[in-house]
Structures are given as C-alpha cells and as structure tokens.
Amino acid sequence: KAGVTQTPRYLIKTRGQQVTLSCSPISGHRSVSWYQQTPGQGLQFLFEYFSETQRNKGNFPGRFSGRQFSNSRSEMNVSTLELGDSALYLCASGAGTSGSTDTQYFGPGTRLTVL
Amino acid sequence: AQKVTQAQTEISVVEKEDVTLDCVYETRDTTYYLFWYKQPPSGELVFLIRRNSFDEQNEISGRYSWNFQKSTSSFNFTITASQVVDSAVYFCALSERDTGRRALTFGSGTRLQVQP
C-alpha cells in the first residue's frame, strides 16, 4: 500500500499571504489529521476530518482551516500568514473506525517558511 | 488534561550500546493508548508501536523492546545493540478513547545520536 502523501514538500510564502497544503491518506483510510511541528511548541494537533466532517479541533486560531473531500483527500489552509506559522505541517492517516483510537500513519510533511 | 513527558532531551551513545528512552504520561481516562514514533532527519514520523491501557505485556520486536508500567505511568523504550541508523528523534504519544481527546498528545521528543 502506498503511504501518506503530502504536497508540496516545501513552500516559501510572505507574511499576509495564504497557503493551501494537500494530503492524500493511505488507500482505504477515512480519517485525516493535521499536526504542526515547531522547535518551540513541538508537535501540536490542528484538526481531524472523517467522512468530510471535522471531528476534532485543536487550539489554533480561525486562520487555520481544513476540509476533506469524498475521496478522503484533505487540504488545510492558512490565511494571513504570520512569521510564527513557519513550521513542518504533518498529515496523519487513520482507518477511521469508530469506538477506538486509530493508529495514525504520518506523511513526510510540508515545510512552510514564512518570510 | 493529558500530558506526556520525555525528560531526556538528547542522548548520545556509541554503536552497540543499549539505550533506554523514558516516557511518563498523565491521563484521567481509564482507557487510553500509547505510541512511539521515530522521526529521522527526513521529517516523516514513523510508527513504531501502539499499546492499549489494558494490555501491560511488554513487547519485543527485534532490537526494540517496550516496558509499559501503569503503576508508574511509564512507557519506556529500549534499543538493544544500537546502530547508527537508529539516530533520530523519538516521540512518545498518548491518546484517549473519548472522541474529543483522540488526537495524539506528544512528548517533546528525545534526540538519539548513535556514534560509530
């Protein structure tokens, strides 16, 4: 099975711009989660999508948003970029079964640099 | 609130040494899940193991072993006969059964450097 893919792998933007990152989960997986990794804050949960619905949300401002499509692919968007948004954004794929916590498998990440 | 503590920021060993990475967690739930992930320089988080709170059996996989002790809220990871390829950052993570807290809470990570 192919793993989780994320595009683009690297991105450079300037303050005030917006950015869209894409994630394709493992085939058959229905849950996609997004995490932000920075040297100062470590790995932090952004949100989780399942069956095109946001199922869980972390403590991030409204500038961070996401969506999931019917084929389980997901995008996250960050508007009005700030310098502090520079980070590695990791997407995780889970089977999405109910009643338990899925093991999450991560993609290679998108490294976003905001200048 | 759930919390994961990895007190060891960085560990340096020489190849073939055994090394143990510590993980201590806090949770109010009786049902929870513990994970270890490896992050090599490429950045991708690689899943290593998952443990359910009701299963305290230790696990061994090749040179890797895990010691889960609910009494001390610890889930430690030992690499036997370390190799240079083991150099990476290792993260311990926790999630709970409750839908609203299923997201992974990560520790701050332990950077392991294995010198040849």
Side-chain angles (χ1 to χ4, degrees):
Chain A
K1 264 187 182 177
V4 180
T5 58
Q6 291 187 245
T7 56
R9 293 293 311 278
Y10 302 91
L11 209 47
I12 299 175
K13 292 286 187 179
T14 56
R15 278 183 300 174
Q17 287 187 309
Q18 75 166 20
V19 67
T20 299
L21 312 181
S22 181
C23 171
S24 292
I26 292 170
S27 177
H29 282 193
R30 299 166 64 192
S31 165
V32 173
S33 298
W34 290 89
Y35 292 80
Q36 181 197 63
Q37 185 177 23
T38 60
Q41 300 299 317
L43 280 153
Q44 294 185 290
F45 170 72
L46 281 156
F47 27 67
E48 180 202 5
Y49 286 87
F50 175 75
S51 291
E52 303 178 63
T53 301
Q54 188 180 85
R55 186 160 71 171
N56 202 356
K57 188 177 188 304
N59 188 25
F60 276 81
R63 300 186 297 106
F64 292 81
S65 63
R67 59 178 175 168
Q68 186 180 33
F69 302 95
S70 58
N71 61 357
S72 294
R73 190 177 70 85
S74 176
E75 289 181 347
M76 69 162 279
N77 184 277
V78 187
S79 62
T80 318
L81 284 166
E82 300 177 359
L83 294 179
D85 297 333
S86 295
L88 180 66
Y89 290 88
L90 291 160
C91 168
S93 165
T97 54
S98 61
S100 68
T101 294
D102 302 315
T103 295
Q104 296 187 40
Y105 299 90
F106 286 80
T110 293
R111 184 163 296 282
L112 171 65
T113 301
V114 182
L115 303 175
Chain B
Q2 49 185 330
K3 183 180 178 182
V4 177
T5 301
Q6 294 180 255
Q8 304 153 307
T9 305
E10 187 161 346
I11 300 175
S12 183
V13 299
V14 177
E15 213 171 14
K16 297 184 183 175
E17 280 187 40
D18 297 348
V19 58
T20 295
L21 310 182
D22 298 334
C23 172
V24 174
Y25 62 90
E26 295 176 29
T27 176
R28 292 174 298 182
D29 263 12
T30 54
T31 301
Y32 52 90
Y33 309 87
L34 295 163
F35 303 82
W36 275 95
Y37 286 88
K38 172 182 180 180
Q39 188 174 43
S42 61
E44 181 173 350
L45 280 171
V46 178
F47 166 74
L48 295 177
I49 190 170
R50 165 199 171 115
R51 242 331 169 232
N52 303 332
S53 56
F54 43 86
D55 181 1
E56 279 195 78
Q57 280 192 345
N58 290 331
E59 174 102 3
I60 298 175
S61 176
R63 297 184 296 108
Y64 295 172
S65 62
W66 291 268
N67 184 347
F68 176 28
Q69 291 195 333
K70 287 178 74 171
S71 61
T72 55
S73 297
S74 65
F75 185 42
N76 296 337
F77 172 30
T78 297
I79 302 175
T80 303
S82 59
Q83 300 177 1
V84 172
V85 293
D86 296 327
S87 297
V89 181
Y90 291 86
F91 291 93
C92 180
L94 164 73
S95 67
E96 297 171 346
R97 184 179 60 179
D98 185 281
T99 303
R101 297 196 298 273
R102 285 187 189 172
L104 290 167
T105 295
F106 286 90
S108 54
T110 297
R111 180 178 300 278
L112 174 65
Q113 291 192 333
V114 182
Q115 310 289 347

